Amino acid sequence: MPLEDLLEKPLPKIPADIAGTLQDPTLITLTAFEDKNRILTDERLHMETGYRKFPGKQGYLVSMYCPMPGVTADMIAWWFWWHPREDLRYQVWFPGEHFSNRYPKREAPYFERDTMPEFQPNTQLPTERISGMRMPLRIDFVEPRTFGFSPDAMERAGFPIIVCGHVGLLNGLVWHTEMAHMLKQTDDGLLLVSRFWLGRTLHNPLLRKFVLTDQTARGMAEHCCVEYRNLAQILPGLYHEYR
């Protein structure tokens, strides 16, 4: 299927049960960034959805999950290496909300290889809309171990891949969020377990007041819910056609 055709594909709807949980921001477990390995090992946390404010100045926790039947860890690794080379590839992930993605010139030897290399830490510069705001982001993707995940815990809990990194604005002029997409092996594919520690690295008082709101946190949860359900639908076909 031509990529352009995927721009016209109807987007998945937010499931009714998740829409319900987003009405009550007290339902999720407030798992601190330092306790992130607990998310891997405690199955009660895998299906949590919503957002909730930490006490004090720690910001928000945003939680989401997404079943990804037919998707493999290799497909996820390939996607995050393959799609940043063309804006259209990023747009089909979430038409209307994803605008562009690129990478600094220093990353060209990694992204512009003929075949997918082993993962290496990299910077991507996506522009997307979240909660009605168009955001020029910078995401520094890192190894799970560097992010603080235990390889032993990943193996024991059945998480073959974690996509994680530090999220900022304006090419890193402002850092604001820690992000982890944890992918658990299931009988028919993967289960995505996502967490955003929104505001954890944001220290400017004025920006905190503007960014750290229920509206932003909820918008992040809704965005994640739709974009990964859409990716689950299109990724197997893209992988088999374009890799």
Side-chain angles (χ1 to χ4, degrees):
M1 175 182 292
L3 287 175
E4 290 83 356
D5 291 354
L6 292 176
L7 295 174
E8 307 301 323
K9 172 187 168 298
L11 287 168
K13 303 293 185 182
I14 296 177
D17 60 326
I18 292 179
T21 63
L22 293 177
Q23 300 296 323
D24 185 349
T26 66
L27 294 176
I28 65 171
T29 304
L30 275 179
T31 309
F33 181 75
E34 295 76 12
D35 296 332
K36 66 181 76 65
N37 284 289
R38 181 187 167 201
I39 302 170
L40 302 178
T41 57
D42 189 344
E43 292 189 358
R44 296 171 298 180
L45 304 181
H46 293 175
M47 308 294 283
E48 289 194 339
T49 60
Y51 60 96
R52 188 175 175 186
K53 192 172 185 180
F54 284 105
K57 297 182 178 181
Q58 299 180 69
Y60 282 80
L61 180 68
V62 178
S63 303
M64 187 51 60
Y65 77 89
C66 175
M68 305 186 81
V71 175
T72 67
D74 285 345
M75 292 179 188
I76 295 293
W78 173 82
W79 174 252
F80 278 92
W81 168 76
W82 180 77
H83 86 260
R85 292 181 62 173
E86 294 182 12
D87 289 346
L88 181 59
R89 300 176 185 181
Y90 190 61
Q91 292 164 6
V92 301
W93 186 356
F94 197 165
E97 301 296 299
H98 284 185
F99 303 110
S100 65
N101 197 4
R102 56 190 177 90
Y103 45 84
K105 289 183 179 179
R106 66 177 182 273
E107 306 286 9
Y110 173 68
F111 285 107
E112 296 177 13
R113 298 186 188 185
D114 292 334
T115 58
M116 186 179 72
E118 292 293 320
F119 172 83
Q120 68 181 42
N122 65 86
T123 294
Q124 298 183 26
L125 304 168
T127 298
E128 59 188 69
R129 182 164 43 224
I130 300 175
S131 192
M133 295 183 290
R134 186 175 176 126
M135 297 185 179
L137 302 175
R138 170 174 169 166
I139 306 176
D140 284 2
F141 291 95
V142 298
E143 294 275 6
R145 184 195 296 267
T146 304
F147 200 72
F149 283 109
S150 162
D152 289 341
M154 290 175 61
E155 184 175 358
R156 289 196 308 270
F159 284 81
I161 184 170
I162 296 177
V163 179
C164 52
H166 316 295
V167 186
L169 291 167
L170 305 173
N171 198 17
L173 183 63
V174 177
W175 296 99
H176 57 78
T177 295
E178 304 284 34
M179 173 192 77
H181 298 300
M182 299 156 273
L183 292 126
K184 181 179 175 66
Q185 190 69 54
T186 64
D187 291 339
D188 64 349
L190 299 173
L191 173 68
L192 176 76
V193 181
S194 292
R195 293 294 186 276
F196 303 86
W197 288 271
L198 173 63
R200 185 176 184 273
T201 51
L202 182 60
H203 305 297
N204 182 288
L206 182 61
L207 287 175
R208 287 181 64 86
K209 185 176 181 180
F210 176 71
V211 173
L212 301 185
T213 66
D214 283 1
Q215 179 181 354
T216 301
R218 177 170 177 163
M220 187 174 287
E222 293 174 338
H223 186 101
C224 182
C225 179
V226 175
E227 71 175 340
Y228 275 94
R229 280 165 173 76
N230 194 53
L231 184 63
Q233 293 175 2
I234 68 174
L235 181 53
L238 291 174
Y239 180 77
H240 291 299
E241 182 168 352
Y242 289 100
R243 83 182 168 98

